[in-house]
């Protein structure tokens, strides 16, 4: 396939030339292809456009009219008003733009405008626009027959709307004929999924006949975006699971069956299902490369333990890497209690170990005497050698860099890899971010786990909240108070952790033991505070979100989050997960400034404890952000057409097709896949290089 037909510089399109080509390039329209993909931002159906002669005071209307006369009107208050008389075949109306005299230079008599706004009465009916678009300029040479649907494009000062509309009027037919050369999907596959061919896709986007047409076109381009992303991830998945020599574990159940019988409870259906997925991977000839997602308290660690025992039963070792030393120690205590009665040796390796103890642990790892090794990033430091590592488990995987996560897996034969995350994200987002992994989801909590009671209070209710906290502390419980900032900021009026720690210590709880924890403290100091809280030596921990991923303190029953409107829903859910880990009733109190948008968001959080439901709401409210960059909200610039809140069905089809193609033809060398390969290497080369290095 020759991609050059749409690679033509934009200046060579009809009616453009070098100067206008430079203006278009500043908008990102460098080639003919860019013009084709520069789709309208708004569509107005002519049937919903009002005739000027039918307008009445009080209406909210959209009209299309030609400027008959215009001018700037001064007022006694020295406010200059730009005013234009618009007319269509049914009548005329005055349209006014108070305080915008500069429009007199921008708009010309004869321009056709699409105007939306309210009709008011001031010396006669007037329309005051919320927005307007120059649909046509009298000397533009464009076809004046606009059809049924009015399109409005993203424009600029240098390239106004009427210029863009003229550009498409002169060039669209030619661009549509070229678009067919870039079709990569067979018609049989398109028809099965229900997608349009590319030329028809762009026709419906640029020259729609109904308001339903643009959505059909968007769906096709959304599929394309998601498909090529999934092809890239499928290539990585194939490399990690198929081309690396894996381990085919043999099941004996010598350890798993006794542990199951010893547990004082039964596994949930979700745990059983996920364990079946994991053991199927581990007993196959291919390497496991799996992500395990589960809400706080869903039993991920127990599932991971059974996976580790599959490896140990077959004479291999298993490693569990966690982000903090305290978490490593906590996992070690829990797992030792469960498996040491079965004769399984569990070793702990962290940076805190003294030299002699460290040498002893490393000797046990190297000799194979330690079957399960739990530790921090110390596990991947020089000198740590495993005798026969079969499975690597990474807990809270997002806390580690890519190289850190993969370091334990880069051995021969490659150990199976299980990544775990307690941060629920919607399935569609997980498939997009982790398409190179197989995904298992624990979407069920063990029976008997009490939901944390959640309350929403305004700033005026702080004294009442502190009294409630005092009652919990008097009952022998512990608690957290979380703030969004470390120190006071001059730019935003927020209570900071350090200032409030002093206030709470001196004014509210002078008789209690308070601790302060934030991310700017030295590591040793943070560790000391966390250990003191775990040991019950601190009653109330004042902190920032550094505790978002922390430790299990069963005695902590109260969580207060101040300025809760400053946190995302998923972040709030992680914070709430710090309490409710014991047998006592637990509470989360949100203190938030009043506000309609924040209030609705926080009510969603208050009324549900399902982390996945909260994550879906968070995605809808905040947007998908820059999935592969630093932008945390809004639209991902890499996904211009796909919307993960509504395109999950499209994403599932895109992943299915991408994986099927890569599994059948990993090098994309087959004639049937030439088009996919060409598009991938021509238009996704930068991202392809990104995936090739992990």
């Amino acid at each position: 396939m020759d991609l050059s037909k749409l690679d033509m510089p934009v200046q060579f399109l009809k009616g453009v030339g070098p100067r206008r080509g430079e203006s278009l390039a500043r908008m990102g329209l460098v080639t003919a292809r860019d013009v084709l993909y520069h789709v309208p931002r708004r569509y107005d159906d002519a049937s919903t456009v009002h005739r000027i002669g039918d307008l009445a005071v009080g209406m909210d209307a959209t009209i299309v009219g030609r400027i008959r006369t215009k001018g700037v009107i001064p007022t006694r208050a020295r406010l200059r008003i730009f005013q234009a008389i618009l007319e269509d075949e049914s009548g005329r109306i005055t349209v006014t733009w108070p305080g915008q005299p500069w429009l007199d230079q921008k708009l010309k008599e004869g321009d056709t405008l699409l105007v939306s706004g309210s009709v008011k009465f001031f010396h006669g009916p007037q329309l005051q626009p919320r927005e307007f678009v120059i649909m046509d300029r009298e000397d533009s040479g464009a076809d004046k027959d606009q059809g049924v649907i009015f399109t409005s494009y993203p424009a600029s000062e240098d390239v106004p709307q009427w210029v863009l509309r003229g550009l498409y009027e002169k060039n669209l037919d030619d661009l549509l004929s070229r678009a067919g050369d870039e079709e990569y999907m067979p018609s049989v596959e398109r028809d099965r999924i229900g997608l349009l061919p590319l030329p028809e896709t762009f026709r419906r986007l640029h020259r729609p006949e109904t308001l339903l047409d643009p959505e059909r076109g968007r769906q096709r381009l959304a599929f394309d975006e998601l498909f090529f992303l999934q092809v890239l991830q499928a290539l990585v998945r194939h490399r990690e699971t198929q081309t690396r020599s894996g381990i085919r574990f043999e099941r004996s159940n010598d350890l798993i069956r006794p542990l199951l019988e010893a547990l004082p409870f039964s596994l949930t259906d979700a745990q059983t299902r996920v364990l079946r997925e994991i053991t199927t991977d581990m007993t196959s000839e291919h390497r496991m490369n799996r992500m395990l997602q589960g809400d706080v308290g869903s039993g991920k660690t127990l599932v991971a333990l059974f996976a580790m025992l599959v490896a140990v039963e077959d004479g291999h070792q298993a490693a569990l890497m966690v982000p903090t030393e305290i978490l490593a120690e906590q996992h070690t205590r829990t797992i030792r209690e469960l498996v040491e009665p079965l004769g399984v040796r569990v070793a702990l390796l962290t940076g805190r170990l003294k030299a002699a103890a460290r040498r002893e642990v490393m000797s046990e790892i190297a000799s194979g005497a330690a079957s399960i090794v739990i530790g921090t990033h110390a596990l991947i430091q020089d000198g740590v050698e495993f005798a026969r590592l079969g499975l690597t488990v990474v807990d809270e995987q997002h806390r580690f860099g890519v190289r850190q996560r993969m370091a334990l897996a880069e051995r021969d034969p490659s150990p199976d890899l299980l990544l775990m995350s307690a941060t629920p994200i919607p399935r569609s987002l997980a498939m997009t971010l982790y398409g190179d992994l197989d995904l298992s989801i624990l979407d069920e909590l063990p029976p008997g786990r009490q939901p944390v009671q959640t309350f929403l209070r305004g700033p005026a209710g702080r004294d009442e909240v502190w009294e409630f906290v005092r009652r919990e502390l008097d009952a022998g419980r512990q608690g957290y108070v979380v703030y969004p900032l470390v120190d006071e900021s001059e730019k935003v009026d927020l209570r900071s952790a350090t200032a409030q720690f002093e206030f709470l210590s001196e004014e509210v709880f002078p008789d209690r033991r308070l601790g302060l924890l934030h991310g700017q403290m030295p590591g040793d100091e943070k560790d000391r505070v966390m250990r003191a809280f775990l040991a019950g030596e601190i009653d109330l921990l004042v902190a920032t979100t550094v505790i978002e991923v922390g430790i299990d303190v069963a005695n902590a029953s109260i969580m207060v989050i101040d300025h809760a409107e400053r946190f995302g829903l998923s972040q709030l859910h992680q914070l709430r997960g710090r309490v409710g880990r014991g047998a006592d009733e637990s509470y989360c109190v949100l203190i938030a400034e009043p506000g309609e948008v924040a209030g609705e968001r926080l009510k969603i959080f208050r009324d549900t404890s399902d982390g996945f439901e909260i994550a879906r709401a968070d995605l809808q409210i905040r947007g998908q952000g820059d999935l592969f960059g630093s932008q945390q909200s809004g639209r991902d610039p890499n996904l211009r057409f796909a919307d993960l809140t509504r395109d999950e069905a499209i994403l599932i089809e895109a992943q299915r097709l991408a994986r099927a193609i890569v599994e059948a033809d990993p090098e994309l060398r087959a004639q049937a896949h030439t088009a996919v390969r060409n598009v991938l290497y021509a238009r996704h080369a930068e991202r392809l290089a990104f995936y090739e290095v992990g």
Side-chain angles (χ1 to χ4, degrees):
M1 181 180 64
D2 179 11
L3 287 175
S4 63
K5 291 188 176 182
L6 284 176
D7 286 328
M8 179 176 68
V10 70
Q11 74 177 72
F12 297 115
L13 294 178
K14 294 176 186 176
V16 180
R19 179 175 295 182
R20 182 150 286 163
E22 291 178 4
S23 298
L24 288 165
R26 285 194 289 272
M27 292 179 60
L29 307 183
V30 178
T31 66
R33 181 183 298 101
D34 296 330
V35 173
L36 200 55
Y37 279 85
H38 188 72
V39 301
R41 64 176 176 82
R42 168 177 165 169
Y43 299 90
D44 286 283
D45 188 344
S47 65
T48 65
V49 173
H50 294 80
R51 288 163 24 106
I52 291 176
D54 296 335
L55 297 181
V57 174
M59 290 178 62
D60 194 83
T62 297
I63 63 171
V64 174
R66 188 174 297 278
I67 297 178
R68 183 174 179 85
T69 63
K70 68 183 181 73
V72 176
I73 311 298
T75 67
R76 292 179 181 177
R78 297 183 179 179
L79 176 69
R80 303 177 73 204
I81 299 173
F82 175 70
Q83 180 174 288
I85 306 297
L86 264 61
E87 67 174 2
D88 64 10
E89 72 283 353
S90 68
R92 301 174 182 174
I93 191 169
T94 301
V95 184
T96 58
W97 287 266
Q100 301 181 58
W102 52 270
L103 286 175
D104 194 33
Q105 302 297 317
K106 179 175 181 177
L107 301 180
K108 298 181 179 182
E109 291 182 4
D111 286 355
T112 298
L113 307 185
L114 184 145
V115 181
S116 296
S118 55
V119 181
K120 299 184 178 181
F121 189 88
F122 186 76
H123 300 304
Q126 291 187 359
L127 193 145
Q128 295 187 357
R130 283 188 307 278
E131 61 177 328
F132 75 94
V133 172
I134 304 175
M135 305 294 289
D136 183 31
R137 179 143 283 173
E138 199 165 42
D139 58 358
S140 69
D143 189 344
K144 303 303 188 291
D145 182 11
Q146 303 294 342
V148 178
I149 306 298
F150 296 99
T151 56
S152 301
Y153 289 90
S156 71
E157 191 70 28
D158 292 338
V159 187
Q161 193 67 220
W162 63 270
V163 169
L164 283 168
R165 290 171 61 80
L167 173 67
Y168 288 102
E169 193 64 47
K170 295 171 183 174
N171 293 280
L172 185 59
D173 289 336
D174 182 47
L175 292 174
L176 292 179
S177 68
R178 298 174 187 228
D181 296 328
E182 299 212 343
E183 183 61 76
Y184 66 88
M185 203 183 327
S187 58
V188 173
E189 194 67 50
R190 285 199 314 267
D191 293 343
R192 193 193 67 76
I193 302 173
L195 297 174
L196 299 172
L198 278 175
E200 180 63 12
T201 292
F202 289 111
R203 186 199 67 75
R204 295 202 188 193
L205 285 165
H206 292 286
R207 198 176 283 161
E209 295 177 358
T210 73
L211 288 179
L212 297 178
D213 281 352
E215 174 58 17
R216 288 292 311 280
R218 185 202 68 82
Q219 288 175 0
R220 169 60 203 265
L221 296 189
F223 180 91
D224 290 353
E225 284 183 332
L226 296 169
F227 170 76
F228 283 103
L229 174 60
Q230 291 298 322
V231 168
L232 289 165
Q233 294 183 325
L235 290 170
V236 177
R237 177 174 177 266
H238 182 272
R239 181 187 67 197
E240 295 297 325
T241 61
Q242 307 292 319
T243 62
R244 286 190 177 189
S245 56
I247 302 168
R248 185 169 188 167
F249 295 95
E250 297 292 336
R251 292 282 306 276
S252 69
N253 283 328
D254 291 342
L255 298 172
I256 291 176
R257 185 180 293 111
L259 179 57
L260 273 172
E261 293 172 352
L263 291 175
F265 51 82
S266 299
L267 299 182
T268 64
D269 291 342
Q271 286 175 312
T272 302
R273 182 191 73 246
V274 168
L275 265 175
R276 190 178 303 118
E277 293 168 353
I278 290 172
T279 52
T280 298
D281 278 359
M282 295 183 69
T283 54
S284 77
E285 60 187 12
H286 301 301
R287 178 172 175 268
M288 179 171 71
N289 204 38
R290 186 169 288 276
M291 161 75 78
L292 172 57
Q293 258 202 295
D295 209 343
V296 174
S298 59
K300 292 183 301 301
T301 304
L302 187 60
V303 169
L305 174 57
F306 278 110
M308 290 189 281
L309 290 180
V310 171
V312 174
E313 283 181 345
D314 194 37
H316 290 80
Q317 294 167 290
L320 171 59
M321 187 164 71
V322 299
T324 67
E325 293 185 348
I326 292 180
L327 204 53
E329 293 168 3
Q330 188 167 281
H331 279 319
T332 301
R333 284 194 299 271
T334 302
I335 290 175
R336 276 177 176 165
E337 289 177 5
L338 292 172
V339 302
E340 286 198 338
L342 305 176
V344 177
R345 169 79 177 122
V346 180
L348 171 66
L349 182 63
T350 68
R352 290 179 62 88
L353 291 179
K354 302 297 184 184
R358 179 181 177 80
R359 283 194 299 271
E360 182 180 348
V361 170
M362 290 176 65
S363 174
E364 291 181 343
I365 297 172
S367 68
S371 299
I372 295 176
V373 184
I374 301 172
T376 58
H377 61 276
L379 290 175
I380 58 176
Q381 291 177 347
D382 291 341
V384 181
E385 295 292 337
F386 286 81
R388 204 179 178 206
L389 183 60
L391 172 66
T392 297
V393 182
V394 182
D395 194 15
E396 299 297 347
Q397 58 86 28
H398 64 282
R399 306 276 289 207
F400 295 97
V402 173
R403 301 310 307 169
Q404 288 178 308
R405 292 200 306 262
M406 302 307 296
L408 281 170
E410 292 177 343
R411 296 164 185 271
D412 189 24
S414 298
D416 283 4
L417 179 65
L418 180 64
L419 304 177
M420 299 200 300
S421 175
T423 305
I425 58 177
R427 178 181 173 83
S428 60
L429 186 55
M431 289 174 65
T432 306
L433 289 173
Y434 307 117
D436 56 321
L437 303 168
D438 293 303
L439 186 63
S440 291
I441 297 178
L442 284 174
D443 51 6
E444 180 184 3
L445 294 180
R449 183 176 169 86
Q450 296 185 68
V452 177
Q453 293 194 46
T454 305
F455 304 95
L456 181 57
R457 296 290 183 266
R462 278 197 181 90
D463 289 344
E464 179 186 344
V465 172
W466 301 143
E467 188 55 40
F468 183 71
V469 171
R470 179 174 292 281
R471 288 199 295 271
E472 285 298 297
L473 300 184
D474 287 345
R477 314 282 180 251
Q478 293 166 274
Y480 303 89
V481 182
V482 179
Y483 294 94
L485 297 175
V486 176
D487 295 305
E488 293 286 4
S489 169
E490 296 178 1
K491 294 183 180 180
V492 286
D493 182 23
L494 297 175
R495 294 164 184 266
S496 72
T498 51
Q500 288 306 297
F501 170 72
E502 294 176 5
F503 169 73
L504 293 173
S505 299
E506 297 170 5
E507 304 293 334
V508 184
F509 303 107
D511 55 334
R512 291 292 178 182
R513 301 167 298 176
L514 273 66
L516 175 64
L517 187 69
H518 58 74
Q520 294 181 16
M521 295 167 61
D524 289 347
E525 180 65 12
K526 281 192 291 188
D527 194 61
R528 185 193 66 75
V529 173
M530 290 289 276
R531 290 177 188 280
F533 188 64
L534 182 61
E537 297 166 4
I538 291 175
D539 301 316
L540 191 64
L541 188 60
V542 180
T544 59
T545 55
V546 70
I547 63 161
E548 185 179 343
V549 176
I551 53 173
D552 292 347
V553 180
N555 193 43
S557 65
I558 176 71
M559 164 74 67
V560 179
I561 304 174
D562 208 343
H563 287 289
E565 74 279 1
R566 303 285 296 189
F567 298 87
L569 290 181
S570 294
Q571 194 173 37
L572 289 172
H573 184 64
Q574 288 300 305
L575 290 169
R576 180 168 60 182
R578 295 305 99 208
V579 296
R581 292 171 173 265
D584 299 309
E585 191 84 53
S586 294
Y587 309 91
C588 179
V589 182
L590 310 177
I591 302 176
E593 295 289 340
E596 184 176 346
V597 175
E600 288 302 312
R601 194 164 54 85
L602 295 177
K603 286 175 184 175
I604 293 172
F605 174 75
R606 179 194 63 190
D607 296 337
T608 181
S609 58
D610 184 332
F612 290 97
E613 190 64 38
I614 288 170
R616 280 189 288 272
D618 206 22
L619 180 61
Q620 290 174 342
I621 292 169
R622 290 158 61 92
Q624 57 211 33
D626 182 353
L627 304 182
F628 305 98
S630 58
Q631 178 184 318
Q632 294 301 305
S633 62
R635 294 286 297 169
D636 181 354
N638 297 302
L639 296 181
R640 292 175 53 204
F641 304 102
D643 183 345
L644 298 184
T645 63
R646 56 175 172 161
D647 288 338
E648 185 171 314
I650 293 175
L651 174 57
I652 290 171
E653 289 291 348
Q655 186 180 84
R656 179 199 60 77
L657 180 60
R659 288 188 173 185
I661 288 173
V662 170
E663 286 173 12
D665 181 17
E667 300 298 323
L668 302 178
R669 296 292 186 188
Q671 181 65 33
H673 303 142
T674 300
V676 173
R677 178 183 174 84
N678 287 346
V679 173
L680 188 68
Y681 278 85
R683 290 163 52 193
H684 300 274
E686 184 176 348
R687 193 180 285 178
L688 182 63
F690 171 81
Y691 275 94
E692 285 177 345
V693 299

